[in-house]
Every structure is written in C-alpha cells, then in structure tokens.
Amino acid sequence: MTPDDDRSARLLVGLLAGAGAAHVAVPRLFDGMVPEFLPGRQRTWTHASGVVELLLAAAVAVPQTRKAGGLAAAGYFAAILPAHLKMAHDWREKPAALRAGAYARIPLQVPLVLWAVKVARNAAR
C-alpha cells in the first residue's frame, strides 16, 4: 500500500465516521430522507444507517478488514441511492441552491462507490 492509498483510506474513514456520527447525533436532519417503502419508523432507519456508517469506518480503518470494509462501503453507497432520490424529489420546490445540492447528491454516489472499491482493491496489495 502506498502512502496515497493509506491517505485515501483514512479520508474514506473520516467521511464514513463523520456521516455516521451526524446520523446518530442529529438524526432529524436525515429522517426525511428515509423512503416511505421502508417499514418502521424513520428515526430507527436514520440511527441504523449511522451505526452502519460507523461500523464501515471501523472496518476501513483496520488494515486487516480494509478490503471487506471498502467493498461493504461501496455496496452501502449504492444502497442509499433511494434516500438521495427521495430528497431530490422532496426538495424540488426548495430554493435553487438547496435544490441543486439535493440533485448533486445523486450522481455523487458514483464516485463514492468507485472510491470505496479503489480503497478495497488497494488494500489487497
């Protein structure tokens, strides 16, 4: 693993840990993104996704589990696409800057998936 590979992994850990902490600490910001087709309470899904992000951060942080953690993170980034689609739909009447931010989250999932896969691939070296 090169220093750049390690830095990339650490940045992914920071992103996942920060997002996970935010989901747990300030869940009301994320509750509205939970798609209606999911059973149960929105808050439960918000907290669960935060815990998953924290676990993914831990898995990517540890060299021995980095490959599996990176692949799991890639799957997670793909799996949360419905939440971003819902946010974009719900925010279609918001001011342009907020609407643009909601819309930008959708294609942003692609580089996040690719980044997590790259971290996993580089961990195998």
Side-chain angles (χ1 to χ4, degrees):
M1 175 178 279
T2 70
D4 285 344
D5 295 340
D6 188 56
R7 181 175 183 272
S8 181
R10 284 186 281 119
L11 289 171
L12 183 58
V13 168
L15 174 79
L16 288 164
H23 278 78
V24 173
V26 196
R28 65 181 165 70
L29 296 177
F30 304 95
D31 288 343
M33 292 176 66
V34 177
E36 287 86 6
F37 64 80
L38 292 174
R41 296 178 52 234
Q42 290 177 320
R43 181 62 50 91
T44 302
W45 285 101
T46 299
H47 281 145
S49 64
V51 169
V52 167
E53 289 165 335
L54 291 169
L55 291 171
L56 290 169
V60 173
V62 177
Q64 293 84 349
T65 58
R66 184 166 293 155
K67 181 177 181 178
L71 292 174
Y76 176 78
F77 289 139
I80 62 171
L81 180 61
H84 295 292
L85 292 170
K86 181 182 184 308
M87 181 181 185
H89 180 266
D90 291 349
W91 286 27
R92 65 190 182 282
E93 302 298 325
K94 297 269 188 186
L98 292 175
R99 196 170 55 243
Y103 293 159
R105 293 174 76 119
I106 297 167
L108 183 60
Q109 294 311 112
V110 173
L112 288 174
V113 168
L114 295 174
W115 180 18
V117 168
K118 183 177 179 184
V119 166
R121 187 176 340 117
N122 291 342
R125 291 196 223 171

